[in-house]
């Protein structure tokens, strides 16, 4: 049985996200039975998410650069790993997401950094972006 998107986040990362009004896969490169690959996903919500009881951090001005660096690192690693594949490069050109003060952010690395996840919730847009890497 395959886990759905939300069950997989809970099982792999301990993250319990509310169901989104729309989930759009912007990039999926899963390429073998072990589940290796990269995922860039957009979750759109019809109402704001309350992150008060979660491990998400509400970004201060000082923390914005850290969040943007994690996202940029995901892009660079993915493009390099996919050998500048045009479709991968285009996804990141089309969807330029920047953290801002007041947004919510989550980062976790497992297996010595071989598995990472960055979640960024854009408060103003009620959109959450997932950058997940498994190698």
């Amino acid at each position: 049985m395959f886990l759905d998107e939300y069950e997989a986040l809970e099982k792999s990362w301990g993250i319990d996200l509310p169901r989104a009004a729309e989930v759009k896969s912007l990039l999926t490169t899963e390429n073998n039975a072990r589940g290796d690959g990269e995922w860039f996903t957009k979750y759109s919500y019809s109402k704001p998410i309350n992150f008060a009881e979660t491990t998400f951090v509400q970004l201060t001005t000082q923390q914005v650069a850290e969040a943007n660096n994690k996202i940029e690192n995901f892009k660079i690693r993915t493009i390099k790993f996919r050998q500048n594949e045009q479709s991968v490069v285009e996804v990141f050109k089309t969807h330029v997401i920047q953290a801002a003060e007041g947004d919510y952010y989550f980062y976790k690395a497992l297996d010595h950094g071989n598995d990472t996840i960055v979640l960024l919730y854009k408060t103003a847009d009620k959109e959450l972006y997932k950058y997940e890497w498994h190698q």
Side-chain angles (χ1 to χ4, degrees):
M1 177 185 125
F2 286 104
L3 297 176
D4 79 11
E5 180 89 12
Y6 300 93
E7 292 167 331
L9 283 170
E10 175 72 44
K11 185 173 186 281
S12 298
W13 303 105
I15 300 165
D16 185 19
L17 282 182
R19 299 268 168 185
E22 181 187 6
V23 177
K24 185 175 182 187
S25 175
L26 304 174
L27 175 70
T28 301
T29 62
E30 186 170 7
N31 57 2
N32 68 28
R34 290 193 358 237
D36 287 359
E38 302 87 39
W39 293 265
F40 176 28
T41 310
K42 174 182 166 183
Y43 300 78
S44 301
Y45 291 88
S46 53
K47 57 183 193 259
I49 300 175
N50 178 2
F51 286 102
E53 303 295 318
T54 71
T55 52
F56 278 74
V57 174
Q58 187 166 24
L59 295 172
T60 64
T61 305
Q62 293 78 17
Q63 295 165 313
V64 167
E66 177 191 330
N68 283 328
N69 286 343
K70 296 289 190 208
I71 291 168
E72 190 61 27
N73 186 44
F74 176 90
K75 290 180 193 177
I76 291 166
R77 280 175 79 185
T78 302
I79 289 169
K80 185 177 177 188
F81 194 74
R82 297 291 157 199
Q83 301 172 334
N84 291 311
E85 186 180 309
Q86 195 57 41
S87 62
V88 173
V89 172
E90 284 301 315
V91 164
F92 291 122
K93 276 187 184 169
T94 305
H95 302 279
V96 178
I97 311 305
Q98 291 285 302
E101 185 179 350
D103 289 343
Y104 286 87
Y105 162 75
F106 177 91
Y107 172 78
K108 191 171 188 177
L110 300 170
D111 192 24
H112 309 289
N114 290 323
D115 299 333
T116 62
I117 190 165
V118 178
L119 296 171
L120 179 67
Y121 178 72
K122 299 293 295 167
T123 309
D125 304 326
K126 296 191 291 278
E127 292 173 344
L128 184 137
Y129 292 88
K130 177 184 81 168
Y131 303 84
E132 189 173 7
W133 172 282
H134 291 279
Q135 290 309 324

